[in-house]
Amino acid sequence: MNTNTPENNPAAASAPAAASPLATPGSEAAPAAVSPETQAALASTAHAPNSPGATHIRSFVHRRGHITQGQLAALERLMGQWSIPYAPRRLDPAAAFGRQAPTVLEIGFGMGETTEKIALARPDDNFLGVEVFNAGVGSLLRRIEDSSIPNLRIVQHDAVEVVRDMIAPDSLAGVHIYFPDPWPKKRHHKRRLIQPAFIALLASRIAPGGYIHCATDWEDYAVQMLEVLGNEPQFANTADGYAPRPDYRPLTKFENRGLRLGHGVWDLIFKRVA
């Protein structure tokens, strides 16, 4: 999820605005085409509820943002088919996907371009994508339908709570976190997703031998990621520092543009040790 510019990242604006989860710029109301059932389902994501005693800082801020009619239509038609509602209980992947297969969690899939390509290239794996923003969820739902992707499901909710409440220990084959919001201002670094407590939680959900793969195009965030992952005793680095980009992670159009401009991209791949 490349979130380095305000137009690509609703959380990059300077001040929050309370709004309906489906509100569009210049409008206080949701588009009329949405059924009450879909509206109610999406409204719950405007503020992901804490489980009792939870105190974590969310790494996103909901704001009024643009959503196309195609994305809105996908939310209306396809949420029930390809999404899994958040619930504070363990998910049964075999039931959710209709088969037994290794499950890979992707946190923050943005508009779903990379997620679509990886799921198509790895049909023997199940992919569970977590995202909070309606436009991205609608976009990936359209991709699932257009490309006939059977091995991909979506949870629209706060990733920390999904991992904590829905993912069983030692159950994931892998975790992908691509281009998370860098929160570049120093005072906002506490909002970054890659923090010791969350990485320890993720490590506990990955099966021994499984992996976590992070990527960022912000060098100072890459340094933080390397430090946090390197200090987690349940992980071992697969490279001497940063890793080469693996073939399964395709280059995004934003990444290609950045590389042409001389910007760096850093991949980190760590394995869960027993």
Side-chain angles (χ1 to χ4, degrees):
M1 175 181 179
N2 195 315
T3 54
N4 296 341
T5 59
E7 60 267 30
N8 296 322
N9 175 23
S14 59
S20 164
L22 293 179
T24 54
S27 170
E28 294 300 324
V34 182
S35 69
E37 292 79 11
T38 300
Q39 179 73 4
L42 295 174
S44 67
T45 69
H47 178 75
N50 282 321
S51 294
T55 59
H56 72 268
I57 297 173
R58 290 188 174 80
S59 59
F60 65 91
V61 178
H62 268 285
R63 290 181 171 86
R64 188 179 292 117
H66 178 68
I67 185 169
T68 69
Q69 285 300 315
Q71 292 161 356
L72 186 60
L75 288 168
E76 172 71 7
R77 292 187 301 107
L78 302 172
M79 280 283 283
Q81 183 176 358
W82 301 111
S83 73
I84 300 169
Y86 165 79
R89 59 179 178 271
R90 295 287 188 253
L91 174 70
D92 179 356
F97 289 89
R99 66 173 188 172
Q100 291 278 3
T103 299
V104 177
L105 175 72
E106 181 172 1
I107 296 174
F109 53 73
M111 303 308 285
E113 175 189 6
T114 296
T115 311
E116 175 190 24
K117 291 178 179 178
I118 294 177
L120 286 170
R122 294 169 56 175
D124 293 333
D125 293 332
N126 294 332
F127 291 89
L128 181 64
V130 178
E131 179 59 77
V132 293
F133 296 112
N134 296 318
V137 172
S139 175
L140 185 53
L141 286 169
R142 290 185 67 183
R143 293 175 186 275
I144 291 173
E145 181 179 58
D146 292 346
S147 297
S148 300
I149 308 174
N151 58 326
L152 181 53
R153 300 291 185 273
I154 295 171
V155 179
Q156 186 175 14
H157 197 78
D158 173 44
V160 176
E161 293 171 358
V162 171
V163 174
R164 182 190 64 207
D165 300 336
M166 297 185 71
I167 306 300
D170 300 331
S171 66
L172 295 174
V175 172
H176 298 168
I177 306 176
Y178 298 149
F179 305 100
D181 192 326
W183 292 100
K185 294 180 180 178
K186 189 172 182 178
R187 68 177 183 272
H188 291 154
H189 284 186
K190 65 183 179 181
R191 293 186 177 274
R192 287 177 168 177
L193 185 65
I194 308 302
Q195 306 283 354
F198 185 51
I199 291 303
L201 175 64
L202 277 176
S204 73
R205 275 22 182 194
I206 298 172
Y211 70 94
I212 181 170
H213 180 193
C214 302
T216 182
D217 52 359
W218 285 74
E219 185 172 10
D220 76 308
Y221 200 1
V223 171
Q224 177 182 328
M225 289 179 176
L226 187 60
E227 179 181 2
V228 172
L229 291 167
N231 286 332
E232 171 50 54
Q234 297 178 87
F235 283 144
N237 200 343
T238 64
D240 182 13
Y242 303 109
R245 179 182 62 85
D247 291 339
Y248 65 76
R249 184 178 77 76
L251 291 170
T252 69
K253 60 182 178 181
F254 299 107
E255 188 175 356
N256 273 317
R257 183 177 64 184
L259 291 172
R260 287 195 301 270
L261 295 172
H263 300 167
V265 175
W266 294 267
D267 284 77
L268 303 93
I269 304 176
F270 281 67
K271 281 196 173 183
R272 164 78 193 275
V273 295

Short mmCIF file of all heavy atoms in Angstrom, two decimals, residues 57-118:
data_model
loop_
_atom_site.label_atom_id
_atom_site.label_comp_id
_atom_site.label_asym_id
_atom_site.label_seq_id
_atom_site.Cartn_x
_atom_site.Cartn_y
_atom_site.Cartn_z
N ILE A 57 -2.51 2.25 19.66
CA ILE A 57 -2.71 3.42 18.81
C ILE A 57 -2.97 2.95 17.39
O ILE A 57 -2.19 2.18 16.84
CB ILE A 57 -1.48 4.34 18.84
CG1 ILE A 57 -1.27 4.88 20.25
CG2 ILE A 57 -1.62 5.49 17.84
CD1 ILE A 57 0.02 5.65 20.42
N ARG A 58 -4.05 3.41 16.79
CA ARG A 58 -4.35 3.02 15.42
C ARG A 58 -3.39 3.71 14.46
O ARG A 58 -3.03 4.86 14.65
CB ARG A 58 -5.79 3.34 15.06
CG ARG A 58 -6.76 2.43 15.81
CD ARG A 58 -8.18 2.61 15.32
NE ARG A 58 -9.02 1.61 15.97
CZ ARG A 58 -9.49 1.72 17.20
NH1 ARG A 58 -9.21 2.80 17.90
NH2 ARG A 58 -10.22 0.78 17.74
N SER A 59 -3.05 2.99 13.38
CA SER A 59 -2.10 3.51 12.40
C SER A 59 -2.82 4.15 11.22
O SER A 59 -2.23 4.36 10.18
CB SER A 59 -1.21 2.38 11.90
OG SER A 59 -2.00 1.36 11.30
N PHE A 60 -4.11 4.45 11.37
CA PHE A 60 -4.85 5.10 10.30
C PHE A 60 -5.79 6.12 10.90
O PHE A 60 -6.11 6.07 12.09
CB PHE A 60 -5.65 4.08 9.47
CG PHE A 60 -6.75 3.40 10.27
CD1 PHE A 60 -8.03 3.93 10.30
CD2 PHE A 60 -6.49 2.26 10.99
CE1 PHE A 60 -9.03 3.32 11.03
CE2 PHE A 60 -7.49 1.63 11.73
CZ PHE A 60 -8.76 2.17 11.75
N VAL A 61 -6.27 7.04 10.06
CA VAL A 61 -7.28 8.02 10.45
C VAL A 61 -8.32 8.04 9.36
O VAL A 61 -8.00 8.25 8.19
CB VAL A 61 -6.67 9.43 10.63
CG1 VAL A 61 -7.75 10.43 10.99
CG2 VAL A 61 -5.57 9.42 11.68
N HIS A 62 -9.59 7.82 9.72
CA HIS A 62 -10.65 7.88 8.72
C HIS A 62 -10.96 9.33 8.38
O HIS A 62 -11.13 10.17 9.25
CB HIS A 62 -11.92 7.21 9.26
CG HIS A 62 -11.99 5.76 8.89
ND1 HIS A 62 -12.30 5.33 7.63
CD2 HIS A 62 -11.76 4.65 9.62
CE1 HIS A 62 -12.29 4.01 7.61
NE2 HIS A 62 -11.95 3.58 8.80
N ARG A 63 -11.05 9.60 7.08
CA ARG A 63 -11.42 10.91 6.61
C ARG A 63 -12.31 10.79 5.40
O ARG A 63 -12.33 9.75 4.72
CB ARG A 63 -10.16 11.74 6.26
CG ARG A 63 -9.39 12.13 7.50
CD ARG A 63 -8.17 12.96 7.13
NE ARG A 63 -7.56 13.49 8.32
CZ ARG A 63 -6.67 12.84 9.05
NH1 ARG A 63 -6.29 11.65 8.70
NH2 ARG A 63 -6.17 13.38 10.14
N ARG A 64 -13.00 11.87 5.08
CA ARG A 64 -13.79 11.92 3.87
C ARG A 64 -12.86 11.73 2.68
O ARG A 64 -11.84 12.37 2.57
CB ARG A 64 -14.49 13.29 3.80
CG ARG A 64 -15.50 13.42 2.69
CD ARG A 64 -16.15 14.80 2.74
NE ARG A 64 -16.98 14.94 3.93
CZ ARG A 64 -16.77 15.82 4.89
NH1 ARG A 64 -15.73 16.62 4.82
NH2 ARG A 64 -17.58 15.90 5.91
N GLY A 65 -13.17 10.82 1.79
CA GLY A 65 -12.31 10.56 0.66
C GLY A 65 -13.10 10.18 -0.57
O GLY A 65 -14.27 9.82 -0.49
N HIS A 66 -12.46 10.24 -1.73
CA HIS A 66 -13.14 9.96 -2.99
C HIS A 66 -13.35 8.47 -3.16
O HIS A 66 -12.48 7.67 -2.86
CB HIS A 66 -12.31 10.51 -4.15
CG HIS A 66 -12.92 10.22 -5.49
ND1 HIS A 66 -14.10 10.79 -5.90
CD2 HIS A 66 -12.53 9.39 -6.48
CE1 HIS A 66 -14.40 10.36 -7.10
NE2 HIS A 66 -13.46 9.49 -7.48
N ILE A 67 -14.51 8.11 -3.64
CA ILE A 67 -14.81 6.74 -4.01
C ILE A 67 -15.59 6.78 -5.30
O ILE A 67 -16.51 7.57 -5.46
CB ILE A 67 -15.58 6.00 -2.88
CG1 ILE A 67 -15.77 4.52 -3.26
CG2 ILE A 67 -16.89 6.67 -2.56
CD1 ILE A 67 -16.27 3.68 -2.09
N THR A 68 -15.21 5.95 -6.26
CA THR A 68 -15.87 5.95 -7.56
C THR A 68 -17.17 5.16 -7.49
O THR A 68 -17.39 4.35 -6.57
CB THR A 68 -14.97 5.34 -8.64
OG1 THR A 68 -14.82 3.93 -8.38
CG2 THR A 68 -13.58 6.00 -8.64
N GLN A 69 -18.02 5.39 -8.46
CA GLN A 69 -19.28 4.64 -8.51
C GLN A 69 -19.01 3.15 -8.72
O GLN A 69 -19.74 2.31 -8.21
CB GLN A 69 -20.17 5.20 -9.62
CG GLN A 69 -20.82 6.53 -9.28
CD GLN A 69 -21.70 6.44 -8.04
OE1 GLN A 69 -22.49 5.51 -7.89
NE2 GLN A 69 -21.55 7.41 -7.13
N GLY A 70 -17.95 2.81 -9.49
CA GLY A 70 -17.62 1.41 -9.68
C GLY A 70 -17.20 0.73 -8.38
O GLY A 70 -17.59 -0.40 -8.11
N GLN A 71 -16.40 1.45 -7.58
CA GLN A 71 -15.98 0.90 -6.29
C GLN A 71 -17.17 0.78 -5.36
O GLN A 71 -17.30 -0.21 -4.63
CB GLN A 71 -14.91 1.80 -5.68
CG GLN A 71 -13.59 1.78 -6.45
CD GLN A 71 -12.70 2.96 -6.15
OE1 GLN A 71 -13.09 3.87 -5.40
NE2 GLN A 71 -11.51 2.98 -6.73
N LEU A 72 -18.04 1.78 -5.40
CA LEU A 72 -19.23 1.74 -4.56
C LEU A 72 -20.14 0.59 -4.94
O LEU A 72 -20.67 -0.13 -4.08
CB LEU A 72 -19.97 3.07 -4.68
CG LEU A 72 -21.17 3.29 -3.77
CD1 LEU A 72 -20.75 3.21 -2.31
CD2 LEU A 72 -21.81 4.64 -4.06
N ALA A 73 -20.29 0.37 -6.25
CA ALA A 73 -21.12 -0.74 -6.72
C ALA A 73 -20.52 -2.08 -6.29
O ALA A 73 -21.25 -3.01 -5.94
CB ALA A 73 -21.26 -0.68 -8.24
N ALA A 74 -19.18 -2.18 -6.32
CA ALA A 74 -18.54 -3.42 -5.89
C ALA A 74 -18.77 -3.66 -4.40
O ALA A 74 -19.01 -4.81 -3.99
CB ALA A 74 -17.04 -3.36 -6.19
N LEU A 75 -18.69 -2.61 -3.60
CA LEU A 75 -18.98 -2.76 -2.18
C LEU A 75 -20.40 -3.29 -1.98
O LEU A 75 -20.64 -4.17 -1.14
CB LEU A 75 -18.83 -1.42 -1.46
CG LEU A 75 -17.40 -0.89 -1.27
CD1 LEU A 75 -17.43 0.56 -0.82
CD2 LEU A 75 -16.64 -1.73 -0.26
N GLU A 76 -21.32 -2.77 -2.75
CA GLU A 76 -22.72 -3.16 -2.60
C GLU A 76 -22.95 -4.61 -3.03
O GLU A 76 -23.63 -5.36 -2.35
CB GLU A 76 -23.59 -2.22 -3.45
CG GLU A 76 -25.05 -2.62 -3.55
CD GLU A 76 -25.83 -2.44 -2.27
OE1 GLU A 76 -25.27 -1.88 -1.30
OE2 GLU A 76 -26.98 -2.88 -2.20
N ARG A 77 -22.34 -5.02 -4.14
CA ARG A 77 -22.64 -6.33 -4.71
C ARG A 77 -21.79 -7.47 -4.15
O ARG A 77 -22.23 -8.61 -4.08
CB ARG A 77 -22.44 -6.30 -6.23
CG ARG A 77 -23.43 -5.46 -6.99
CD ARG A 77 -23.25 -5.65 -8.50
NE ARG A 77 -21.91 -5.29 -8.96
CZ ARG A 77 -20.99 -6.15 -9.33
NH1 ARG A 77 -21.22 -7.45 -9.28
NH2 ARG A 77 -19.80 -5.73 -9.75
N LEU A 78 -20.52 -7.14 -3.77
CA LEU A 78 -19.55 -8.20 -3.56
C LEU A 78 -19.05 -8.36 -2.13
O LEU A 78 -18.36 -9.34 -1.83
CB LEU A 78 -18.34 -7.98 -4.48
CG LEU A 78 -18.66 -7.91 -5.98
CD1 LEU A 78 -17.42 -7.50 -6.77
CD2 LEU A 78 -19.20 -9.24 -6.47
N MET A 79 -19.39 -7.41 -1.24
CA MET A 79 -18.91 -7.53 0.14
C MET A 79 -19.33 -8.85 0.77
O MET A 79 -18.53 -9.52 1.43
CB MET A 79 -19.43 -6.36 0.98
CG MET A 79 -18.66 -5.07 0.82
SD MET A 79 -17.07 -5.04 1.69
CE MET A 79 -17.60 -4.77 3.38
N GLY A 80 -20.58 -9.23 0.55
CA GLY A 80 -21.08 -10.45 1.16
C GLY A 80 -20.43 -11.71 0.63
O GLY A 80 -20.38 -12.73 1.33
N GLN A 81 -19.90 -11.64 -0.60
CA GLN A 81 -19.32 -12.83 -1.22
C GLN A 81 -17.86 -13.02 -0.86
O GLN A 81 -17.41 -14.15 -0.65
CB GLN A 81 -19.47 -12.72 -2.75
CG GLN A 81 -18.97 -13.94 -3.50
CD GLN A 81 -19.22 -13.84 -4.99
OE1 GLN A 81 -19.81 -12.86 -5.47
NE2 GLN A 81 -18.78 -14.84 -5.73
N TRP A 82 -17.09 -11.92 -0.80
CA TRP A 82 -15.63 -12.04 -0.65
C TRP A 82 -15.07 -11.43 0.62
O TRP A 82 -13.87 -11.53 0.85
CB TRP A 82 -14.95 -11.39 -1.86
CG TRP A 82 -15.34 -12.00 -3.16
CD1 TRP A 82 -16.08 -11.43 -4.15
CD2 TRP A 82 -15.03 -13.32 -3.61
NE1 TRP A 82 -16.25 -12.30 -5.19
CE2 TRP A 82 -15.60 -13.47 -4.90
CE3 TRP A 82 -14.31 -14.39 -3.08
CZ2 TRP A 82 -15.49 -14.63 -5.63
CZ3 TRP A 82 -14.20 -15.56 -3.81
CH2 TRP A 82 -14.79 -15.67 -5.07
N SER A 83 -15.90 -10.82 1.44
CA SER A 83 -15.39 -10.22 2.68
C SER A 83 -15.78 -11.07 3.88
O SER A 83 -16.75 -11.83 3.84
CB SER A 83 -15.90 -8.79 2.86
OG SER A 83 -17.27 -8.79 3.22
N ILE A 84 -15.00 -10.92 4.94
CA ILE A 84 -15.26 -11.59 6.21
C ILE A 84 -15.46 -10.51 7.27
O ILE A 84 -14.56 -9.69 7.49
CB ILE A 84 -14.07 -12.49 6.61
CG1 ILE A 84 -13.83 -13.56 5.54
CG2 ILE A 84 -14.31 -13.14 7.97
CD1 ILE A 84 -12.52 -14.31 5.72
N PRO A 85 -16.61 -10.44 7.91
CA PRO A 85 -16.82 -9.40 8.92
C PRO A 85 -15.87 -9.59 10.10
O PRO A 85 -15.57 -10.73 10.51
CB PRO A 85 -18.28 -9.61 9.35
CG PRO A 85 -18.90 -10.45 8.27
CD PRO A 85 -17.80 -11.29 7.71
N TYR A 86 -15.41 -8.47 10.63
CA TYR A 86 -14.61 -8.55 11.86
C TYR A 86 -15.47 -9.13 12.99
O TYR A 86 -16.65 -8.79 13.15
CB TYR A 86 -14.10 -7.17 12.28
CG TYR A 86 -13.60 -7.16 13.71
CD1 TYR A 86 -12.34 -7.66 14.02
CD2 TYR A 86 -14.42 -6.72 14.75
CE1 TYR A 86 -11.90 -7.69 15.33
CE2 TYR A 86 -13.98 -6.74 16.06
CZ TYR A 86 -12.72 -7.23 16.35
OH TYR A 86 -12.29 -7.27 17.65
N ALA A 87 -14.88 -9.99 13.78
CA ALA A 87 -15.52 -10.51 14.98
C ALA A 87 -14.42 -10.86 15.98
O ALA A 87 -13.36 -11.36 15.58
CB ALA A 87 -16.35 -11.75 14.67
N PRO A 88 -14.64 -10.61 17.26
CA PRO A 88 -13.61 -10.91 18.27
C PRO A 88 -13.55 -12.39 18.61
O PRO A 88 -13.71 -12.80 19.76
CB PRO A 88 -14.06 -10.06 19.47
CG PRO A 88 -15.54 -9.97 19.32
CD PRO A 88 -15.82 -9.93 17.83
N ARG A 89 -13.35 -13.22 17.60
CA ARG A 89 -13.20 -14.66 17.78
C ARG A 89 -12.33 -15.19 16.66
O ARG A 89 -12.18 -14.57 15.61
CB ARG A 89 -14.55 -15.37 17.79
CG ARG A 89 -15.37 -15.18 16.53
CD ARG A 89 -16.69 -15.94 16.60
NE ARG A 89 -17.52 -15.72 15.41
CZ ARG A 89 -18.39 -14.73 15.30
NH1 ARG A 89 -18.57 -13.87 16.29
NH2 ARG A 89 -19.11 -14.61 14.19
N ARG A 90 -11.76 -16.35 16.86
CA ARG A 90 -10.81 -16.93 15.92
C ARG A 90 -11.47 -17.26 14.58
O ARG A 90 -12.56 -17.85 14.54
CB ARG A 90 -10.17 -18.19 16.49
CG ARG A 90 -9.31 -17.93 17.72
CD ARG A 90 -7.99 -17.26 17.32
NE ARG A 90 -7.09 -17.16 18.45
CZ ARG A 90 -6.81 -16.03 19.09
NH1 ARG A 90 -7.36 -14.89 18.71
NH2 ARG A 90 -5.97 -16.03 20.11
N LEU A 91 -10.79 -16.92 13.51
CA LEU A 91 -11.24 -17.25 12.16
C LEU A 91 -10.84 -18.68 11.82
O LEU A 91 -9.73 -19.12 12.14
CB LEU A 91 -10.60 -16.28 11.18
CG LEU A 91 -10.83 -16.53 9.68
CD1 LEU A 91 -12.28 -16.23 9.33
CD2 LEU A 91 -9.89 -15.66 8.85
N ASP A 92 -11.73 -19.40 11.16
CA ASP A 92 -11.43 -20.73 10.64
C ASP A 92 -11.10 -20.57 9.16
O ASP A 92 -12.00 -20.45 8.32
CB ASP A 92 -12.64 -21.65 10.82
CG ASP A 92 -12.39 -23.05 10.28
OD1 ASP A 92 -11.31 -23.29 9.70
OD2 ASP A 92 -13.29 -23.91 10.42
N PRO A 93 -9.81 -20.55 8.79
CA PRO A 93 -9.45 -20.31 7.39
C PRO A 93 -10.03 -21.35 6.43
O PRO A 93 -10.42 -21.02 5.31
CB PRO A 93 -7.92 -20.35 7.40
CG PRO A 93 -7.54 -20.01 8.80
CD PRO A 93 -8.62 -20.64 9.64
N ALA A 94 -10.08 -22.62 6.84
CA ALA A 94 -10.62 -23.65 5.97
C ALA A 94 -12.07 -23.38 5.61
O ALA A 94 -12.50 -23.56 4.46
CB ALA A 94 -10.47 -25.02 6.62
N ALA A 95 -12.84 -22.89 6.59
CA ALA A 95 -14.23 -22.55 6.32
C ALA A 95 -14.33 -21.28 5.49
O ALA A 95 -15.18 -21.18 4.58
CB ALA A 95 -14.99 -22.39 7.64
N ALA A 96 -13.48 -20.29 5.79
CA ALA A 96 -13.55 -19.02 5.08
C ALA A 96 -13.18 -19.16 3.61
O ALA A 96 -13.76 -18.49 2.74
CB ALA A 96 -12.63 -18.00 5.75
N PHE A 97 -12.20 -20.02 3.30
CA PHE A 97 -11.73 -20.18 1.92
C PHE A 97 -12.28 -21.43 1.23
O PHE A 97 -12.06 -21.62 0.03
CB PHE A 97 -10.20 -20.23 1.89
CG PHE A 97 -9.54 -18.92 2.18
CD1 PHE A 97 -9.22 -18.56 3.48
CD2 PHE A 97 -9.24 -18.04 1.15
CE1 PHE A 97 -8.60 -17.34 3.75
CE2 PHE A 97 -8.63 -16.81 1.41
CZ PHE A 97 -8.31 -16.47 2.72
N GLY A 98 -12.94 -22.28 1.99
CA GLY A 98 -13.48 -23.49 1.40
C GLY A 98 -12.44 -24.54 1.09
O GLY A 98 -12.67 -25.46 0.29
N ARG A 99 -11.27 -24.45 1.73
CA ARG A 99 -10.21 -25.43 1.50
C ARG A 99 -9.12 -25.27 2.55
O ARG A 99 -9.02 -24.23 3.22
CB ARG A 99 -9.59 -25.25 0.12
CG ARG A 99 -8.83 -23.93 -0.03
CD ARG A 99 -8.09 -23.85 -1.34
NE ARG A 99 -7.22 -22.66 -1.41
CZ ARG A 99 -6.36 -22.45 -2.39
NH1 ARG A 99 -6.22 -23.32 -3.38
NH2 ARG A 99 -5.61 -21.36 -2.38
N GLN A 100 -8.29 -26.28 2.69
CA GLN A 100 -7.10 -26.22 3.53
C GLN A 100 -5.93 -25.79 2.66
O GLN A 100 -5.62 -26.44 1.66
CB GLN A 100 -6.82 -27.59 4.14
CG GLN A 100 -7.83 -28.04 5.18
CD GLN A 100 -7.55 -27.44 6.56
OE1 GLN A 100 -6.63 -26.65 6.73
NE2 GLN A 100 -8.36 -27.82 7.54
N ALA A 101 -5.27 -24.69 3.02
CA ALA A 101 -4.11 -24.21 2.27
C ALA A 101 -3.35 -23.23 3.14
O ALA A 101 -3.91 -22.65 4.08
CB ALA A 101 -4.55 -23.53 0.97
N PRO A 102 -2.06 -23.03 2.88
CA PRO A 102 -1.31 -22.02 3.65
C PRO A 102 -1.98 -20.65 3.50
O PRO A 102 -2.40 -20.27 2.40
CB PRO A 102 0.08 -22.05 2.99
CG PRO A 102 0.17 -23.39 2.35
CD PRO A 102 -1.21 -23.73 1.90
N THR A 103 -2.05 -19.91 4.61
CA THR A 103 -2.72 -18.61 4.61
C THR A 103 -1.70 -17.50 4.82
O THR A 103 -0.91 -17.54 5.77
CB THR A 103 -3.79 -18.54 5.71
OG1 THR A 103 -4.77 -19.56 5.47
CG2 THR A 103 -4.48 -17.19 5.72
N VAL A 104 -1.73 -16.51 3.93
CA VAL A 104 -0.87 -15.34 4.00
C VAL A 104 -1.73 -14.12 4.27
O VAL A 104 -2.73 -13.88 3.59
CB VAL A 104 -0.08 -15.16 2.69
CG1 VAL A 104 0.77 -13.89 2.74
CG2 VAL A 104 0.79 -16.39 2.42
N LEU A 105 -1.35 -13.36 5.27
CA LEU A 105 -2.06 -12.14 5.64
C LEU A 105 -1.38 -10.94 5.00
O LEU A 105 -0.15 -10.79 5.11
CB LEU A 105 -2.04 -11.99 7.16
CG LEU A 105 -2.65 -10.70 7.75
CD1 LEU A 105 -4.17 -10.72 7.61
CD2 LEU A 105 -2.24 -10.55 9.22
N GLU A 106 -2.15 -10.08 4.32
CA GLU A 106 -1.61 -8.82 3.83
C GLU A 106 -2.28 -7.67 4.56
O GLU A 106 -3.51 -7.58 4.59
CB GLU A 106 -1.79 -8.63 2.33
CG GLU A 106 -1.19 -7.31 1.87
CD GLU A 106 -1.14 -7.10 0.37
OE1 GLU A 106 -1.59 -7.99 -0.36
OE2 GLU A 106 -0.66 -6.04 -0.06
N ILE A 107 -1.48 -6.78 5.13
CA ILE A 107 -1.99 -5.65 5.90
C ILE A 107 -1.84 -4.38 5.09
O ILE A 107 -0.74 -4.00 4.70
CB ILE A 107 -1.23 -5.53 7.24
CG1 ILE A 107 -1.48 -6.77 8.10
CG2 ILE A 107 -1.64 -4.27 7.98
CD1 ILE A 107 -0.67 -6.81 9.37
N GLY A 108 -2.96 -3.72 4.81
CA GLY A 108 -2.95 -2.47 4.08
C GLY A 108 -2.70 -2.67 2.60
O GLY A 108 -1.63 -2.34 2.09
N PHE A 109 -3.69 -3.21 1.87
CA PHE A 109 -3.45 -3.55 0.46
C PHE A 109 -3.72 -2.38 -0.49
O PHE A 109 -3.57 -2.53 -1.70
CB PHE A 109 -4.26 -4.77 0.04
CG PHE A 109 -5.75 -4.70 0.31
CD1 PHE A 109 -6.58 -3.89 -0.44
CD2 PHE A 109 -6.31 -5.47 1.32
CE1 PHE A 109 -7.95 -3.85 -0.20
CE2 PHE A 109 -7.67 -5.44 1.57
CZ PHE A 109 -8.50 -4.63 0.81
N GLY A 110 -4.09 -1.22 0.02
CA GLY A 110 -4.29 -0.06 -0.84
C GLY A 110 -5.39 -0.31 -1.84
O GLY A 110 -6.50 -0.71 -1.49
N MET A 111 -5.10 -0.12 -3.13
CA MET A 111 -6.09 -0.34 -4.19
C MET A 111 -6.06 -1.78 -4.71
O MET A 111 -6.81 -2.13 -5.61
CB MET A 111 -5.88 0.65 -5.33
CG MET A 111 -5.93 2.10 -4.90
SD MET A 111 -7.41 2.55 -3.94
CE MET A 111 -8.63 2.59 -5.25
N GLY A 112 -5.19 -2.61 -4.18
CA GLY A 112 -5.24 -4.04 -4.44
C GLY A 112 -4.49 -4.53 -5.65
O GLY A 112 -4.54 -5.73 -5.96
N GLU A 113 -3.74 -3.66 -6.33
CA GLU A 113 -3.02 -4.08 -7.54
C GLU A 113 -2.03 -5.20 -7.25
O GLU A 113 -2.00 -6.24 -7.92
CB GLU A 113 -2.30 -2.88 -8.15
CG GLU A 113 -1.42 -3.21 -9.35
CD GLU A 113 -0.56 -2.03 -9.80
OE1 GLU A 113 -0.56 -0.98 -9.12
OE2 GLU A 113 0.13 -2.17 -10.82
N THR A 114 -1.18 -4.99 -6.23
CA THR A 114 -0.18 -6.00 -5.87
C THR A 114 -0.83 -7.26 -5.34
O THR A 114 -0.43 -8.38 -5.69
CB THR A 114 0.80 -5.41 -4.85
OG1 THR A 114 1.52 -4.33 -5.46
CG2 THR A 114 1.79 -6.45 -4.36
N THR A 115 -1.84 -7.10 -4.51
CA THR A 115 -2.53 -8.24 -3.92
C THR A 115 -3.12 -9.13 -5.00
O THR A 115 -3.02 -10.37 -4.94
CB THR A 115 -3.64 -7.75 -2.99
OG1 THR A 115 -3.11 -6.77 -2.10
CG2 THR A 115 -4.24 -8.89 -2.19
N GLU A 116 -3.75 -8.53 -5.99
CA GLU A 116 -4.33 -9.29 -7.10
C GLU A 116 -3.26 -10.11 -7.81
O GLU A 116 -3.45 -11.32 -8.06
CB GLU A 116 -4.99 -8.33 -8.08
CG GLU A 116 -5.51 -8.99 -9.34
CD GLU A 116 -5.94 -7.98 -10.40
OE1 GLU A 116 -5.43 -6.83 -10.38
OE2 GLU A 116 -6.76 -8.36 -11.26
N LYS A 117 -2.13 -9.49 -8.14
CA LYS A 117 -1.09 -10.17 -8.90
C LYS A 117 -0.49 -11.33 -8.10
O LYS A 117 -0.23 -12.41 -8.65
CB LYS A 117 -0.01 -9.18 -9.31
CG LYS A 117 -0.47 -8.17 -10.35
CD LYS A 117 0.62 -7.17 -10.69
CE LYS A 117 0.17 -6.18 -11.75
NZ LYS A 117 1.20 -5.16 -12.06
N ILE A 118 -0.25 -11.11 -6.81
CA ILE A 118 0.34 -12.17 -6.00
C ILE A 118 -0.63 -13.34 -5.85
O ILE A 118 -0.24 -14.51 -5.95
CB ILE A 118 0.78 -11.62 -4.63
CG1 ILE A 118 1.92 -10.62 -4.80
CG2 ILE A 118 1.22 -12.76 -3.72
CD1 ILE A 118 2.36 -9.96 -3.51
#
